[in-house]
Amino acid sequence: MVNFIWAFMAIVGILYAMVNGTMDDVNKALFESADQAVKISIGLISIMVFWLGIMKVAEHAGILRILAKILRPAVLKIFPDIPKDHPAIGYILSNFTANIFGLGNAATPMGIKAMEEMKKLSGTDEASRSMITFLALNTSSLTLIPTTVIAIRMQYDSAQPTEIVVTTIIATMISSASALIIDRFYYYKQTRRK
Amino acid sequence: MAIITGISIWIIPLFILIVLLTAVFKKLPAYELFVEGGKEGVKIAFSLLPFLVGMLVAISILRSSGALDAFINLITPLLAFLGIPADVVPLAFLRPISGNAALGVTTELIAEHGPDSFIGRLASTMQGSTDTTLYILTVYFGAVGIRKMGYALKVGLLADLIGLLASIIIVTLVFGR
């Protein structure tokens, strides 16, 4: 699926540029975006090193286990195939917490770490059930306070920059809940076929 | 509101404080553990590089050729017929594909229509309530080497669509058009 989408985007773009006469722009964008991707990855290094370092200490100090214990019932319901005391749960919770408070750059390293732990559980290069659930929740955004948007609204002299917080929270809850429902739907559809 | 922004500022330093206090209390080699974990971070960040280059280049080809805009122009009247405001259609399509592009469009919409207009509020809500599905998929699955994604993309995109429709309905209900 991803192989197809990836090739499709590039092929359609190049073919369209032939007809539309935008080959110049494509040529330029090609290398600019490659450059940008490298910059993003390099920018991730500082965040990843810092957070994975701190989280390693937290893991050994037993803090992840405590965090996992408190919120375990809810998480076990959402991720039924992760064993009770598995470190994956601690990382999943850290990712959710970071997301909820809008700490996007802390959320990514913890999310990747959670994925890694879930991959250890499944042991294949195929996305497991809990991985997809985790991904679905992340893509639907768990952020409660959209700080970037508020900043933009302030910049353009909004009378109430934060008035969109309530609508954003409701929309986030609806999209997260539907992500969970759709995820369950496809999972059961898949298992029934097998 | 003040409380929540306050929490956002305090939570990271407090978390670090608790972690380090516990480590010192338990006589753990905190610094060595930090370095050990950090090394993993370097590895992951570098292993992500080819995934990000590949994905961002393909997206930029599609955008810079004008194909994406052409498609959006084509589909806008149809969506307008269904009650989706024409102004936010580009945002709806860009949001799951490219975080930077979506933020750019949101800023443009807020600048053009004003932050307190219907479009301004709707764009703000849409921007805040979903995330860049393709980026998250690339980063999370890329970093741990997942090749078969199963139904993950379908779930992500469908949830985006529902989030978008929910935003339109909620903003209309709360603020009116």
Side-chain angles (χ1 to χ4, degrees), chain A residues 124-142:
Chain A
T124 61
D125 62 356
E126 209 170 320
S128 69
R129 177 188 182 184
S130 41
M131 283 178 183
I132 297 177
T133 309
F134 179 69
L135 208 91
L137 282 174
N138 262 284
T139 59
S140 73
S141 164
L142 300 159

Side-chain angles (χ1 to χ4, degrees), chain A residues 1-2 5-6 9-10 12-14 16-17 20 22 25-26 29-30 33-34 36-38 40-41 44-45 48-58 60-61 63 95 101 103 107-108 111-113 115-116 119 124-127 131-132 134-136 138-141 145-146 148-150 152-153 156 158-160 162-164 167-168 170-172 174-175 178-179 182-183 186-187 190, chain B residues 1 4 7-8 11-12 15-16 18-19 22-23 26 28 30 33-34 36-38 40-42 44-46 48-49 52-62 64-67 70 100 103 107 110-111 115-116 120-121 124-125 127-131 133-137 139-141 143-149 151-156 158-160 162-163 166-167 170-171 174-175:
Chain A
M1 180 90 150
V2 125
I5 290 171
W6 184 70
M9 289 194 294
V12 168
I14 293 171
Y16 190 83
N20 200 27
T22 40
D25 302 317
V26 169
L30 214 112
S33 62
Q36 194 203 355
V38 173
I40 295 176
S41 308
L44 273 175
I45 295 179
M48 297 289 277
V49 169
F50 178 73
W51 277 110
L52 292 189
I54 290 289
M55 291 310 279
K56 191 76 164 189
V57 184
H60 281 258
I63 289 173
N95 169 272
F101 289 103
L103 314 168
T108 310
I112 290 175
K113 209 54 198 160
M115 279 288 176
E116 214 174 76
K119 199 194 175 192
T124 61
D125 62 356
E126 209 170 320
M131 283 178 183
I132 297 177
F134 179 69
L135 208 91
N138 262 284
T139 59
S140 73
S141 164
I145 308 300
T148 319
V149 173
I150 294 173
I152 296 172
R153 294 173 61 81
Y156 287 97
S158 170
Q160 281 285 316
T162 55
E163 70 180 358
I164 47 88
T167 50
T168 304
I170 301 172
T172 299
I174 292 176
S175 73
S178 20
I182 299 165
D183 170 60
Y186 277 110
Y187 172 74
Q190 196 188 48
Chain B
M1 184 59 212
I4 296 168
I7 292 174
S8 293
I11 190 166
I12 289 181
F15 179 75
I16 297 170
I18 293 169
V19 168
T22 319
K26 290 191 174 175
L28 291 171
L33 284 171
F34 176 85
E36 194 190 317
E40 281 175 47
V42 181
I44 293 174
F46 270 107
L48 271 177
L49 213 150
L52 276 177
V53 171
M55 205 43 96
L56 291 192
V57 167
I59 290 167
S60 84
I61 292 174
L62 191 67
S64 62
S65 69
N100 283 334
L103 195 62
T107 312
I110 288 176
D116 303 324
R121 286 163 173 160
S124 306
T125 305
Q127 175 70 31
S129 65
T130 58
D131 216 321
T133 299
L134 215 55
Y135 174 81
I136 293 180
L137 210 78
V139 169
Y140 282 8
F141 280 170
V144 299
I146 293 296
R147 287 214 193 81
K148 293 175 192 148
M149 296 187 177
Y151 48 89
L153 186 63
K154 258 187 281 183
V155 177
L158 279 174
D160 286 341
I162 293 176
S167 300
I170 293 158
V171 172
V174 173
F175 300 113

